[in-house]
Amino acid sequence: MKKDRKTIYEARAKIIKAMAHPSRLLIIEELHHQERCVNELTEMIGADTSTVSKHLSVLKNAGLVSDEKRGNCIYYNLRCTCILDFIDCVEEVLTANAEDQKNIMKACKR
Amino acid sequence: MKKDRKTIYEARAKIIKAMAHPSRLLIIEELHHQERCVNELTEMIGADTSTVSKHLSVLKNAGLVSDEKRGNCIYYNLRCTCILDFIDCVEEVLTANAEDQKNIMKACKR
DNA sequence: TGGCTATTTGGCTATATTGCCAAGTAGTTT
DNA sequence: AAACTACTTGGCAATATAGCCAAATAGCCA
């Protein structure tokens, strides 16, 4: 692979990888509705605070969320709302896959 | 996290994880232009055939590509073209990140 | 049949990710 | 200042991923 093409794909992969985790997808979806602090997200996810904090730092590092300290809490915000379209696309893939499964089942019954 | 919500996010994460690799992003983009066989992709990527074959099986397993044997080769096709919008969104994030970097640099010079 | 070509699979090592606990930091409240 | 709240960091073990080589499979060609 050409060097500059590789650089581009690596940069993209880093962003996508940051999304590629169930808890982080929850965070993304939640932050789309409203900003949240670590504590709130921790409760929703049901993992250790440190774990959630690390997930948030992965997202922040990828530039997907921003944080803002206000009062006692650090509030996290979603930076690019287009990410939600992204998830719509993923849903499309899942639906297509389910459709395939169904057809396979049908074929087996025959 | 509630069990059914967790299931949904795990399914989504699996799809996204399948995209989260430079070589696999190249494959996706390439297949968007035209179908390709393993050999062709292997050359473009410049890795071992077995490595590329495994990348393709990850993509196939996620339902992102389909394969079709014709003549001597197995041709791979992209199944959901919406994935390209997805990548547009990733580009948007990258641009925003670059913008941030630029502003930080500016601030430092002052 | 035997050798090709195209592709997949198994096995292995190196590396990365995840998640918990414990400890550290920082700002707030009493 | 001491205790408290909110969060991050370091460390560690378990697990997953990546990429190579070697070997297996499968269809084509002579």
Side-chain angles (χ1 to χ4, degrees), chain A residues 1 5 9-13 15-17 19-23 25-26 29-30 44-45 62-64 79-80 82-83 86-87 89-94 96-97 100, chain B residues 1 5 9-13 15-17 19-23 25-26 29-30 44-45 62-64 79-80 82-83 86-87 89-94 96-97 100:
Chain A
M1 201 178 340
R5 205 176 176 191
Y9 288 130
E10 278 170 356
R12 288 182 187 169
I15 309 261
I16 297 175
K17 205 181 282 187
M19 296 193 231
H21 188 284
S23 301
L25 287 175
L26 179 144
E29 200 157 271
E30 202 50 46
M44 289 177 203
I45 292 170
L64 293 168
R79 259 162 59 96
C80 285
C82 63
I83 289 163
F86 194 114
I87 287 167
C89 169
V90 172
E91 276 304 311
E92 239 178 87
V93 176
L94 284 171
N97 291 350
D100 286 358
Chain B
M1 205 182 330
R5 204 176 177 190
Y9 287 130
E10 277 170 355
R12 288 182 188 169
I15 309 260
I16 297 175
K17 205 181 283 187
M19 295 192 234
H21 187 284
S23 302
L25 287 175
L26 179 144
E29 202 156 271
E30 203 50 45
M44 289 176 201
I45 292 171
L64 292 169
R79 260 162 57 95
C80 285
C82 64
I83 289 164
F86 194 113
I87 286 167
C89 169
V90 172
E91 277 305 310
E92 238 178 87
V93 177
L94 284 171
N97 291 351
D100 287 357

Side-chain angles (χ1 to χ4, degrees), chain B residues 71-90:
Chain B
N72 220 355
C73 297
I74 297 178
Y75 289 93
Y76 279 84
N77 284 276
L78 193 60
R79 260 162 57 95
C80 285
T81 46
C82 64
I83 289 164
L84 269 282
D85 301 337
F86 194 113
I87 286 167
D88 284 344
C89 169
V90 172

